Amino acid sequence: MVSKGIISVRGLHNQFGDNLVHEQLDLDVAQGEILTVVGGSGSGKSVLMRSILGLHRPSAGQIEVDGVDLLRADSEQRVQLERRMGVLFQRGALYSSLTVLENVLLPLQEHLSLPAEDAEALALMKLRLVGLSSAVADNSVQSLSGGMIKRVALARALILEPDFLFLDEPTAGLDPIGANDFDELLVTVQRALGLTVFLVTHDVDSIFKVSDRVAVLAERKVLVVDTPERVATHPDQWIQAYFQGPRGRAAQQGKRHPVNAEEDA
């Protein structure tokens, strides 16, 4: 079994009024893996991600990131953790009033005091890393295609050279070709930089193309976490409908072999 991860969640409890989202939820994310989180509507995928990021304080439980207790960390520890976390939110969350370059530069301006020339050079390097030329740097966000928006958002998430990358539905709204291109980019970047990736998605194609392991949220907890192939054989009715339906079976034909997942003993 996978031992306690570099991200460790124990006994997580999230409740909004009478709506109990998570109850005694446990999850570990291993260093250097791509862990994909799936679940039905209302299962709390994004709430879990926001809890780990520190954007939402859970009702109870413990969250450790590289040994730091997130819920008890002081302000300096939290700032240091934030600098190690890159985030790609749904739909990219770019600022329409800023250019591509200005969007990518934002985390640098918030966390570091670099000379303008050095900061711009680093931002242009990150744009090239995600497959965009420097020619798009002065473009407006409105002029970008959906796929380019996701790539710019990824460049911004990587600008501080994080150890952890969090992505919330990164292929949502993309056509199949654009989604496949983004999946391939994610795997390439993750392997090149050795990132630990926490991915929330409903895209069954992405699950089999990028995931080392998959965690299924159901019944307010993690129902199962394992390789995509093993999760797909779980007898739960929702899992069977999700993974063994026509799209799920087709997606399994294009799966990649995970390189970071640990095998059960």
Side-chain angles (χ1 to χ4, degrees):
M1 297 291 293
V2 176
S3 58
K4 185 175 180 180
I6 194 165
I7 298 174
S8 177
V9 180
R10 292 290 181 271
L12 190 69
H13 186 106
N14 273 308
Q15 186 166 356
F16 301 90
D18 295 331
N19 181 24
L20 183 58
V21 179
H22 301 136
E23 185 176 24
Q24 292 299 312
L25 183 150
D26 296 338
L27 180 65
D28 288 296
V29 184
Q31 185 169 8
E33 76 169 339
I34 299 179
L35 178 78
T36 300
V37 178
V38 302
S41 177
S43 59
K45 303 181 294 295
S46 294
V47 174
L48 173 58
M49 189 182 89
R50 291 173 63 85
S51 297
I52 297 172
L53 287 169
L55 299 176
H56 167 75
R57 188 172 184 87
S59 307
Q62 183 181 49
I63 301 172
E64 287 189 4
V65 179
D66 199 10
V68 177
D69 187 334
L70 186 64
L71 302 182
R72 294 174 175 79
D74 59 33
S75 58
E76 179 61 27
Q77 289 175 312
R78 292 178 66 86
V79 169
Q80 292 301 317
L81 277 180
E82 286 176 6
R83 288 180 54 178
R84 298 176 62 194
M85 296 177 174
V87 187
L88 194 162
F89 293 103
Q90 288 188 37
R91 294 178 292 277
L94 299 181
Y95 291 93
S96 59
S97 61
L98 303 179
T99 66
V100 166
L101 182 63
E102 288 168 341
N103 268 281
V104 178
L105 283 170
L106 277 176
L108 280 179
Q109 295 168 340
E110 181 179 355
H111 289 282
L112 299 177
S113 298
L114 290 179
E117 184 176 340
D118 292 342
E120 182 172 325
L122 182 57
L124 292 174
M125 182 182 71
K126 295 304 181 185
L127 285 172
R128 290 192 294 271
L129 176 65
V130 301
L132 296 174
S133 76
S134 57
V136 306
D138 293 326
N139 287 11
S140 67
V141 171
Q142 293 91 331
S143 70
L144 303 179
S145 67
M148 292 176 71
I149 287 174
K150 300 299 177 73
R151 288 173 183 258
V152 173
L154 180 59
R156 184 177 64 184
L158 297 173
I159 191 67
L160 292 175
E161 301 185 356
D163 298 310
F164 308 96
L165 179 63
F166 294 81
L167 306 100
D168 194 358
E169 302 284 5
T171 59
L174 300 182
D175 60 52
I177 294 175
N180 182 71
D181 289 345
F182 189 90
D183 288 339
E184 292 182 353
L185 172 64
L186 174 60
V187 172
T188 299
V189 169
Q190 184 266 339
R191 288 178 173 174
L193 302 180
L195 298 168
T196 299
V197 176
F198 185 100
L199 168 65
V200 172
T201 189
H202 69 277
D203 189 335
V204 69
D205 290 316
S206 294
I207 292 168
F208 283 97
K209 287 175 182 173
V210 310
S211 308
D212 292 308
R213 292 191 302 145
V214 178
V216 179
L217 299 191
E219 302 172 9
R220 306 186 184 98
K221 60 184 179 182
V222 175
L223 183 62
V224 60
V225 56
D226 212 324
T227 63
E229 295 78 13
R230 290 175 179 168
V231 168
T233 66
H234 193 281
D236 177 77
Q237 184 176 1
W238 185 89
I239 292 177
Q240 284 300 300
Y242 190 85
F243 286 95
Q244 299 302 336
R247 294 184 65 186
R249 291 196 302 270
Q252 294 185 54
Q253 303 306 311
K255 63 191 177 185
R256 77 178 180 105
H257 181 71
V259 295
N260 293 313
E262 296 182 30
E263 298 293 328
D264 286 341

